[in-house]
């Protein structure tokens, strides 16, 4: 059986929806950011600071490759930049069904206002400009990787999980 994979921009709620979806479907849940932090024994902000973005992107690709050897079906929550690399999109196709949690810029900004310092792709920039810039550069990759697109609106994780399960059952 295929894994269920959640993609989307920072702040769209991937991790929380993944936990809810895993609970509702009695599956294991994992987060690629957590996998990388555990494997590296340090925070993502430290990886960016010490080794730079490219090194982090290589770690993300490696995390996807490692996940391919897991036998158990699971819910996988991705870091927001994961689908940008072509190789990652190819690996994601092998790994399972990709669900894009699509959110409006205003919703993302509201949720991202707290915790910018944990996100090196946002730190030191004007938040609104940066979210717009990154989102417009990435949207096509999210769309290209997605098997299912869920417009999250203002819905909570419980409702989003129910909507995903309904859509998958169609
Ligand atoms: C990133 C998103 C982060 C994390 C890293 C880079 C990005 O994950 O992988 O800070 O480039 O969008 P979340 O989407 O879980 O915040």
């Amino acid at each position: 059986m295929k894994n269920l994979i959640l993609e989307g921009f920072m702040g769209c709620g991937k991790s929380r929806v993944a936990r809810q979806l895993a609970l509702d479907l009695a599956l294991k849940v994992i987060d690629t950011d957590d996998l990388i932090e555990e494997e590296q024994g340090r925070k993502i902000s430290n990886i960016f600071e010490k080794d730079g973005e490219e090194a982090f992107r290589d770690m993300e690709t490696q995390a996807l490759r490692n996940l391919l050897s897991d036998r158990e079906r699971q819910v996988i929550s991705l870091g927001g930049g994961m689908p940008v690399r072509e190789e990652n999109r190819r690996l994601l196709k092998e790994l399972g069904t990709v669900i894009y949690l699509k959110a409006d810029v205003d919703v993302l900004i509201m949720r991202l206002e707290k915790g910018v310092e944990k996100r090196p792709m946002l730190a030191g920039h004007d938040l609104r400009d940066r979210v717009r810039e990154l989102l417009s550069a990435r949207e096509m990759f999210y769309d290209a990787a997605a098997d299912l697109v869920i417009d999250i609106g203002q819905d909570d994780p419980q409702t989003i999980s129910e909507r995903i399960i309904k859509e998958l059952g169609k």
Side-chain angles (χ1 to χ4, degrees):
M1 269 204 279
K2 285 176 150 191
N3 295 297
L4 297 179
I5 306 163
L6 297 181
E7 65 157 4
F9 201 80
M10 292 171 269
C12 73
K14 297 176 294 274
S15 305
R16 285 191 306 150
V17 172
R19 280 198 295 274
Q20 184 64 48
L21 194 57
L23 198 68
D24 292 344
L25 296 172
L27 296 173
K28 210 174 110 184
V29 60
I30 45 172
D31 186 308
T32 57
D33 287 343
D34 293 345
L35 287 177
I36 292 169
E37 288 189 340
E38 274 163 32
E39 141 96 12
Q40 288 286 316
R42 53 191 173 137
K43 295 277 172 208
I44 286 170
S45 50
N46 182 279
I47 299 172
F48 269 73
E49 197 188 309
K50 296 274 187 307
D51 300 345
E53 182 180 350
E54 247 343 84
F56 174 72
R57 299 302 173 198
D58 289 342
M59 291 171 197
E60 288 194 305
T61 301
Q62 192 54 49
L64 289 187
R65 289 197 199 111
N66 295 345
L67 283 170
L68 275 176
S69 57
D70 280 3
R71 300 231 155 253
E72 214 178 331
R73 187 186 188 215
Q74 43 201 357
V75 179
I76 302 170
S77 173
L78 302 177
M82 191 69 99
V84 174
R85 268 197 188 179
E86 197 198 340
E87 181 179 1
N88 293 353
R89 296 198 297 280
R90 202 168 39 71
L91 289 165
L92 289 169
K93 286 228 174 306
E94 278 183 64
L95 207 54
T97 303
V98 178
I99 302 151
Y100 173 23
L101 301 185
K102 193 171 183 151
D104 284 348
V105 173
D106 288 333
V107 172
L108 293 172
I109 288 169
M110 206 173 62
R111 294 189 184 176
L112 286 167
E113 268 162 352
K114 284 184 220 125
V116 165
E117 68 287 344
K118 282 186 290 180
R119 292 189 163 100
M121 294 299 289
L122 301 176
H125 295 271
D126 174 84
L127 185 60
R128 182 166 290 271
D129 288 351
R130 184 65 168 162
V131 170
R132 279 186 194 285
E133 175 199 0
L134 282 176
L135 190 59
S136 68
R138 288 178 174 181
E139 199 117 51
M140 63 179 184
F141 300 122
Y142 292 135
D143 283 331
D147 296 301
L148 172 65
V149 181
I150 299 279
D151 234 309
I152 62 168
Q154 307 275 353
D155 288 349
D156 57 24
Q158 172 94 59
T159 309
I160 297 169
S161 172
E162 283 163 14
R163 288 177 56 202
I164 292 172
I165 292 167
K166 201 166 151 202
E167 286 297 324
L168 291 174
K170 279 182 184 168

